[in-house]
Amino acid sequence: MTRKITLTDHEETLRQLLLDVSNYIGTQDGCIKPHLRFTGGWVRDRLLGIESKDIDIGIDSMTGYKFGTLMKQYLDDPARRTQYGEDVVGRLAQIEANPEKSKHLETVTTKVLGLDIDLVNLRKETYDEDSRNPTMEFGTPEEDALRRDSTVNALFYNLETSEVEDLTMKGLEDMELRIIRTPLSPYQTFKDDPLRILRCIRFASKLGYNIEAEAEKSMSDDSIKEALRAKISRERVGIEIEKILKGPRPMYALSLIDRLGLYNTVFTDPSQERSLVADTTHWTKAYNELSSINRAEISGPLSSGALPTVKSMLVLNDHEAYLSWLLCALSPWANIENPVKQKKGAKKNPPMAAVVAREGLKTENKALNVIKDAALHYTDIIASKDSIFAEASSIVVPMKRKQQALSREALGMAIRRWGPTWRSTTVFALLIEIMETEGVVERRHIQEQYAGWLKYIKSLDLLDAYAFKPVVDGEQLKRAFDRPSGKWIVGALNIVMEWQLRNPGKTATGEAIAEVKSRWKELGVD
């Protein structure tokens, strides 16, 4: 690993611009020339040879907003602007001082020379017992470095000297050793701001680093877990978990959460009694299995076996990969019933996996709907798969029922009920079954069953059955039967779709309407 950073052309131009602005500020009445540093993640990534367009700029003698305003003032001179190129500085987006949001000193975000920059004053933090929101004030570079979550995120690049500064005296060494370590005592670091637990796990998984032993011990401490429950908003927990699951090594992060006993602190419904917990005894099987699926080669010399088939049909893009990891994270809640008493006449209570996602992670609505559908339909998918592979099931499936389950009509209509996220639901079903397996042979048998089931669906051209359009629409049905709109339309369209699934390739509207007419009694109308 290098200990020197060679700036790109844009970064060097940004550095020169900022130094020029600093010198300009030093000439203004009542202003002290500020000293500037690139801080945190940008320094770490550039030392690792990773490009980064997000740069935090630490300022030692004024707020970020004041520096940004003076930078705008400096660039109001057209002659100066031409030194750096057109549209040098974008619109300044001020973040005002706000104790409730942990922004006690004004910062600013803007785009400079195509780079996203945050202008932030160097600061020190003082915490009280009940809040992760510290009291902030101007600090020295050393104080700013020591307040950070890990030594590898506490490195600075001094714009004047062009040197990397390791003010914790451990950051560069820890990068060499591939260790996540807190600059100060890990217990006090996590007690002050328990969100740092998840941040350390995120960076360990992002970088492929180990967490230092003393930090792991503090993460597992019951008082630290209680602080994480009490002091951190569930929105912040959800943001960190989303970043973890979208990162390069989600399995490693989940394994840390599991091993450190953090599962029921992170993945929880805070509105429920503490006694309601998920059993994670077999969860390791789920995240190891999903990691194996994601590592499977779809083509090439290692593409044989069931997992490449499963991956190629169920995890089609990065978003579906994220959803699969989110479902994996919630899989221990799959078989736990919602304890909230069902109100008479009210909608059915949502499954616990969805409640934990909604209340514990504040998951956004689209992903939440995927979780609800998966929790509601995964048993149907297991039943569909078992009907085809009845010999592997503990339930004896009569031949007629097995033939019905194998029919293109039955499978197509089932996929339509499961909806456009049926692939994610299938991943959920597979992981839940894997958690119940004993040994490699049984696990491979489950994998082969799902691969065979998916191949069968593909052979029937039903992978996208949820999106099939009926050959006749509601307006055509109303005209054909001279009837107004009503619930009968939904039933009639289902009959049309069943006819289409039995007769692939047929598009004659007259035949479809004749099918509805022949089954009219099923609609329950006169």
Side-chain angles (χ1 to χ4, degrees):
M1 183 198 77
T2 183
R3 294 194 173 202
K4 301 284 285 185
I5 294 176
T6 301
L7 300 182
T8 66
D9 290 344
H10 275 76
E11 290 167 346
E12 179 57 43
T13 303
L14 174 63
R15 170 182 169 272
Q16 190 57 56
L17 166 62
L18 293 170
L19 289 175
D20 291 345
V21 172
S22 176
N23 288 329
Y24 167 77
I25 291 172
T27 68
Q28 303 302 296
D29 290 342
C31 292
I32 301 173
K33 175 185 172 182
H35 298 284
L36 308 174
R37 292 167 171 83
F38 292 163
T39 69
W42 178 90
V43 184
R44 178 202 67 227
D45 287 348
R46 296 294 276 108
L47 287 171
L48 292 171
I50 302 170
E51 285 194 16
S52 176
K53 291 187 177 296
D54 296 320
I55 306 177
D56 289 350
I57 298 164
I59 308 161
D60 70 345
S61 60
M62 63 179 57
T63 67
Y65 188 70
K66 185 173 183 180
F67 183 92
T69 301
L70 290 168
M71 179 166 63
K72 277 275 198 181
Q73 180 179 306
Y74 170 79
L75 290 169
D76 282 344
D77 184 340
R80 291 177 181 144
R81 296 183 74 92
T82 57
Q83 297 178 50
Y84 312 104
E86 295 297 322
D87 299 322
V88 181
V89 180
R91 182 178 63 85
L92 296 179
Q94 181 183 10
I95 304 174
E96 295 184 355
N98 184 347
E100 297 303 316
K101 299 295 185 181
S102 293
K103 298 293 183 183
H104 292 210
L105 297 170
E106 291 176 333
T107 68
V108 71
T109 60
T110 190
K111 188 178 285 288
V112 178
L113 299 167
L115 301 169
D116 294 314
I117 69 168
D118 285 353
L119 299 169
V120 186
N121 56 274
L122 299 177
R123 57 192 186 268
K124 65 178 179 180
E125 301 174 343
T126 304
Y127 288 85
D128 63 39
E129 189 71 20
D130 300 321
S131 174
R132 71 168 285 261
N133 295 337
T135 299
M136 295 185 187
E137 55 188 289
F138 283 96
T140 65
E142 291 80 5
E143 288 169 331
D144 192 272
L146 292 172
R147 74 175 178 82
R148 293 175 180 260
D149 52 38
S150 61
T151 58
V152 300
N153 288 338
L155 299 167
F156 297 156
Y157 177 85
N158 189 309
L159 269 63
E160 294 178 6
T161 65
S162 297
E163 291 182 351
V164 173
E165 297 175 335
D166 183 4
L167 302 178
T168 70
M169 307 299 290
K170 296 175 182 177
L172 292 170
E173 179 185 357
D174 287 345
M175 288 188 72
E176 294 279 4
L177 296 173
R178 301 175 65 83
I179 287 175
I180 297 294
R181 185 198 312 270
T182 59
L184 299 175
S185 155
Y187 181 87
Q188 194 59 49
T189 296
F190 299 138
K191 189 77 169 177
D192 286 343
D193 184 357
L195 190 66
R196 289 169 176 160
I197 296 170
L198 294 180
R199 285 179 57 81
C200 285
I201 289 173
R202 172 159 66 89
F203 286 113
S205 66
K206 176 180 179 178
L207 302 171
Y209 286 11
N210 293 317
I211 297 177
E212 183 258 341
E214 192 63 28
E216 283 199 355
K217 181 180 177 182
S218 296
M219 287 177 173
S220 301
D221 187 280
D222 286 342
S223 65
I224 297 296
K225 293 179 190 177
E226 182 58 34
L228 179 56
R229 288 190 188 97
K231 294 175 70 172
I232 305 302
S233 73
R234 301 315 298 189
E235 288 86 356
R236 294 299 304 160
V237 171
I239 288 169
E240 287 298 321
I241 291 298
E242 181 175 348
K243 289 178 179 179
I244 284 170
L245 299 182
K246 288 182 175 179
R249 298 175 186 85
M251 187 275 283
Y252 179 39
L254 294 184
S255 71
L256 286 171
I257 289 171
D258 191 12
R259 181 164 58 81
L260 298 174
L262 291 165
Y263 185 87
N264 282 296
T265 302
V266 175
F267 299 102
T268 185
D269 174 10
S271 68
Q272 295 292 336
E273 294 293 330
R274 295 284 175 82
S275 59
L276 185 67
V277 296
D279 181 2
T280 57
T281 305
H282 302 293
W283 185 41
T284 181
K285 298 177 186 177
Y287 54 73
N288 284 330
E289 178 71 9
L290 186 53
S291 179
S292 297
I293 292 171
N294 280 287
R295 292 199 312 269
E297 289 191 17
I298 294 176
S299 60
L302 300 178
S303 62
S304 60
L307 291 186
T309 297
V310 171
K311 179 181 179 180
S312 67
M313 294 194 199
L314 297 184
V315 187
L316 305 185
N317 51 52
D318 288 345
H319 182 62
E320 289 193 350
Y322 160 67
L323 291 175
S324 69
W325 280 111
L326 181 57
L327 289 166
C328 178
L330 296 164
S331 58
W333 288 98
N335 295 317
I336 298 177
E337 289 193 16
N338 190 326
V340 176
K341 190 174 181 180
Q342 183 73 41
K343 294 181 180 179
K344 189 175 182 180
K347 288 184 179 180
K348 186 177 179 181
N349 286 334
M352 277 307 301
V355 173
V356 169
R358 184 187 68 203
E359 301 298 332
L361 303 178
K362 299 301 180 183
T363 302
E364 55 90 15
N365 285 336
K366 286 185 179 179
L368 188 60
N369 288 334
V370 174
I371 296 163
K372 287 179 182 176
D373 287 343
L376 290 171
H377 296 308
Y378 79 90
T379 54
D380 293 337
I381 284 177
I382 293 173
S384 175
K385 182 264 301 177
D386 282 350
S387 293
I388 293 176
F389 297 97
E391 69 282 356
S393 174
S394 60
I395 301 173
V396 177
V397 180
M399 181 56 67
K400 183 176 180 182
R401 181 177 156 195
K402 183 176 179 180
Q403 290 172 344
Q404 290 172 342
L406 285 167
S407 74
R408 189 172 190 273
E409 175 187 340
L411 270 175
M413 293 303 289
I415 290 171
R416 291 176 70 80
R417 286 195 304 275
W418 302 332
T421 59
W422 74 273
R423 290 179 171 86
S424 295
T425 304
T426 302
V427 172
F428 194 56
L430 186 156
L431 297 179
I432 289 166
E433 287 210 86
I434 289 294
M435 284 196 290
E436 297 172 355
T437 59
E438 297 292 341
V440 174
V441 173
E442 190 177 352
R443 178 169 62 84
R444 287 179 178 169
H445 191 54
I446 294 293
Q447 294 169 352
E448 289 164 359
Q449 284 187 339
Y450 276 91
W453 183 71
L454 290 165
K455 285 178 180 178
Y456 183 66
I457 291 173
K458 183 178 181 180
S459 73
L460 297 177
D461 193 25
L462 290 176
L463 292 174
D464 297 320
Y466 61 87
F468 289 176
K469 302 291 185 185
V471 296
V472 295
D473 59 26
E475 291 299 320
Q476 289 172 300
L477 287 170
K478 286 193 292 182
R479 288 194 298 271
F481 293 96
D482 192 24
R483 284 181 172 270
S485 297
K487 292 182 179 179
W488 70 276
I489 291 286
V490 175
L493 289 173
N494 282 335
I495 290 173
V496 170
M497 183 53 62
E498 290 168 355
W499 173 83
Q500 285 178 231
L501 290 166
R502 289 197 306 273
N503 300 278
K506 285 192 174 183
T507 59
T509 58
E511 291 184 50
I513 290 171
E515 175 73 9
V516 175
K517 188 176 292 185
S518 71
R519 297 171 59 184
W520 186 257
K521 288 184 179 180
E522 296 177 29
L523 301 178
V525 293
D526 296 331

